[in-house]
Amino acid sequence: MHQIIEKYLMKLLKSILLLTLLSFVFSCKSDKKEDTSTSKIETKDALINRVFSFSEKQYDSLIHRIESNKPLLQPRGVTEDGQLRLKPFRDWTSGFFPGSLWYIYQNNPSEKNKSNAMKFTEALDSVKYITNSHDVGFMLGCSYGNGFKYTKSDTYKNVIIQGARSLATRYRPIIGAIQSWNTTPDMGWIAKRGWDTPIIVDNMMNLELLFRAADFAKDSTLYTIAIHHAKTTMKNHFRDDFSSFHVVDYNSKTGKVRSKQTAQGYKDWTSWARGQAWGLYGFTQTYENTKDSTFLAQAKHIANYIMTSKKVPEDHIPYWDYDAPKIPNEPRDASAAAITASALLTLQKYVPEKRNEMIAYAESILRRLSSDDYLAEYGKNQGFILKHSVGNIHTGEENDKPLNYADYYFLEALSKWKAIK
Ligand code: GLY
């Protein structure tokens, strides 16, 4: 009898032990599940606040380093040997840093932020007379264009109007488009390509300045030039799958296409990542300004090409060219990703059937760029916000480096995301 009770007690003890063990294992599992589904994913508001407060601090310290330069120079990126790369007003990227300062001001409208943005914007006053480059649109649109929203200053308005008139001098009626680059001997590698009138897909980004100025000055010529440029680009720059060539060279006497090539991409037939993003952004913006459905259709096709491309990695940060020869051992281009995110967050407003998909795609880019892999540490990265962009791989400069325009479109996209409820 004694033995039977002992056996029974042993069995009971074993069962209790087993039950305790099982309940411990399950409780660990369910804790873990709760962990990942709630506390591990940063909320949208927390992410945007974190990135903007970091960016403000990071740029404050960059400004502190450069504000004593006379004339004031604009931070563009980092040189091959790791030094801060500063540029005068005539550099094509000169408007991005002031533009980022306006987004920082929008997020935190303090007097300090406003005075920083105004100081770097107003250092670009002379850009309005530049007639030898199509980039006036980038330079003044990002700086004075953003600044006008907050200052409503007539001075800013007049800079925009004069800048657009300078840009319009580059319109070639026989071609029906604005010439991008000059081909004179002072143009370095561009002069050596044998082009007559090269027009690049990036040039779509300069149309916004014409639309703004047309509205301010009630000047329909500027509006018409912008429409012609967009139509010519739509006709000649895109392939059947809506990927784009980088450069289309025209004959200035006949208006005919001479060749379709690349400058910053891998090969003429490949998809240079930032070029795809410029096209998407440019046609989205042109639709916003004209409400012409052909431009909306074009933007939707380009979005579809980018979003469904198997050549874009799963995290949606493209390699510098979709067909770069040594993928996956090629640098990514954070700037192309940031431009794409910003463009999609505008385009989604006009494409209800794809709205959620476009926002989700942009969100995944913004979350990835906000991670330690791309977001700099305070005081590092020569004061820039994002790491890992590619300027022009062929010149060997700005290869896997920070760039002021990656920062600009990143902050812009975050601001647009914040506004979506
Ligand atoms: N031309 C502007 C760019 O490099 O994207």
Side-chain angles (χ1 to χ4, degrees):
M1 183 65 183
H2 185 93
Q3 268 183 337
I4 292 174
I5 292 175
E6 201 172 288
K7 223 172 164 186
Y8 174 77
L9 278 175
M10 277 308 285
K11 257 191 174 171
L12 191 67
L13 197 65
K14 269 189 191 164
S15 305
I16 290 170
L17 271 173
L18 189 68
L19 272 174
T20 316
L21 191 70
L22 279 175
S23 82
F24 177 73
V25 167
F26 280 117
S27 78
C28 285
K29 270 197 176 160
S30 72
D31 277 358
K32 203 167 177 187
K33 199 168 166 200
E34 199 177 294
D35 238 358
T36 49
S37 63
T38 54
S39 55
K40 290 261 168 78
I41 297 176
E42 189 178 23
T43 64
K44 171 180 160 181
D45 286 350
L47 182 148
I48 293 170
N49 286 338
R50 169 174 66 84
V51 174
F52 264 105
S53 62
F54 159 72
S55 302
E56 183 176 335
K57 243 174 58 183
Q58 181 83 332
Y59 270 12
D60 277 352
S61 92
L62 178 54
I63 289 169
H64 188 68
R65 283 171 62 194
I66 61 180
E67 66 191 340
S68 56
N69 289 321
K70 296 264 176 313
L72 195 60
L73 298 174
Q74 305 283 348
R76 165 171 169 150
V78 172
T79 61
E80 279 309 284
D81 59 355
Q83 303 305 307
L84 179 61
R85 194 169 186 208
L86 293 169
K87 288 285 177 180
F89 73 89
R90 71 185 72 81
D91 186 73
W92 84 269
T93 71
S94 63
F96 295 117
F97 185 68
S100 292
L101 297 176
W102 284 115
Y103 283 117
I104 286 171
Y105 172 68
Q106 183 187 58
N107 185 66
N108 176 16
S110 68
E111 274 313 308
K112 180 256 304 171
N113 286 341
K114 188 172 189 183
S115 114
N116 284 340
M118 287 176 72
K119 183 159 63 177
F120 281 86
T121 294
E122 290 165 20
L124 300 184
D125 177 66
S126 306
V127 172
K128 64 182 185 246
Y129 297 121
I130 290 180
T131 54
N132 66 355
S133 161
H134 70 137
D135 290 317
V136 174
F138 278 116
M139 295 146 95
L140 295 181
C142 302
S143 53
Y144 282 90
N146 279 307
F148 181 76
K149 284 187 229 156
Y150 305 105
T151 59
K152 300 286 178 233
S153 143
D154 279 343
T155 311
Y156 280 35
K157 194 189 259 192
N158 290 335
V159 170
I160 291 167
I161 295 170
Q162 177 55 52
R165 293 206 162 122
S166 296
L167 176 60
T169 64
R170 301 184 65 73
Y171 182 65
R172 308 289 176 247
I174 292 173
I175 298 167
I178 296 161
Q179 179 165 355
S180 293
W181 293 325
N182 287 358
T183 54
T184 43
D186 58 307
M187 290 299 289
W189 61 269
I190 293 174
K192 298 193 182 110
R193 296 290 298 260
W195 289 320
D196 173 336
T197 310
I199 295 179
I200 60 176
V201 69
D202 325 22
N203 205 340
M204 282 299 300
M205 299 295 290
N206 294 312
L207 305 186
E208 176 69 15
L209 189 76
L210 299 177
F211 288 125
R212 284 287 192 97
D215 182 36
F216 288 157
K218 302 286 165 257
D219 181 345
S220 63
T221 312
L222 298 174
Y223 185 89
T224 308
I225 288 175
I227 305 264
H228 283 179
H229 183 92
K231 287 193 170 153
T232 303
T233 304
M234 197 159 76
K235 182 163 157 240
N236 295 326
H237 259 86
F238 288 85
R239 309 181 183 110
D240 290 347
D241 63 358
F242 293 95
S243 64
S244 82
F245 290 96
H246 185 197
V247 186
V248 176
D249 184 34
Y250 293 88
N251 181 317
S252 54
K253 301 210 168 56
T254 64
K256 293 228 164 74
V257 172
R258 293 180 72 225
S259 64
K260 299 187 179 190
Q261 302 184 0
T262 198
Q264 282 156 261
Y266 171 49
K267 297 280 181 200
D268 295 342
W269 49 268
T270 65
S271 296
W272 173 51
R274 200 164 50 255
Q276 311 315 303
W278 289 144
L280 172 65
Y281 196 122
F283 280 98
T284 301
Q285 208 170 39
T286 302
Y287 173 68
E288 273 215 304
N289 283 292
T290 60
K291 295 291 181 287
D292 177 334
S293 61
T294 54
F295 298 133
L296 177 61
Q298 182 72 8
K300 280 161 69 175
H301 286 311
I302 303 169
N304 182 59
Y305 170 71
I306 295 174
M307 291 167 70
T308 60
S309 173
K310 299 276 177 287
K311 296 171 183 172
V312 176
E314 274 184 9
D315 66 1
H316 303 152
I317 314 296
Y319 294 96
W320 65 276
D321 189 299
Y322 289 12
D323 303 283
K326 294 188 200 121
I327 289 173
N329 300 315
E330 294 279 0
R332 305 286 191 106
D333 183 11
S335 76
I339 296 159
T340 301
S342 183
L344 288 175
L345 290 175
T346 296
L347 185 58
Q348 56 82 22
K349 290 194 267 177
Y350 308 108
V351 191
E353 70 283 9
K354 293 266 178 192
R355 177 172 193 265
N356 292 341
E357 225 178 290
M358 288 180 177
I359 295 174
Y361 195 97
E363 174 173 347
S364 78
I365 290 175
L366 296 178
R367 285 192 179 276
R368 185 79 183 110
L369 295 182
S370 304
S371 73
D372 291 347
D373 288 341
Y374 285 92
L375 197 70
E377 273 175 65
Y378 176 62
K380 303 234 168 104
N381 209 34
Q382 288 294 359
F384 291 95
I385 298 165
L386 288 178
K387 306 179 267 185
H388 306 310
S389 288
V390 174
N392 182 349
I393 208 133
H394 305 299
T395 60
E397 291 168 342
E398 301 176 333
N399 182 350
D400 196 17
K401 292 278 188 297
L403 286 171
N404 61 8
Y405 41 102
D407 289 4
Y408 173 82
Y409 290 101
F410 178 51
L411 296 181
E412 180 180 87
L414 287 169
S415 306
K416 289 182 188 175
W417 191 31
K418 184 175 174 178
I420 296 172
K421 294 297 165 212

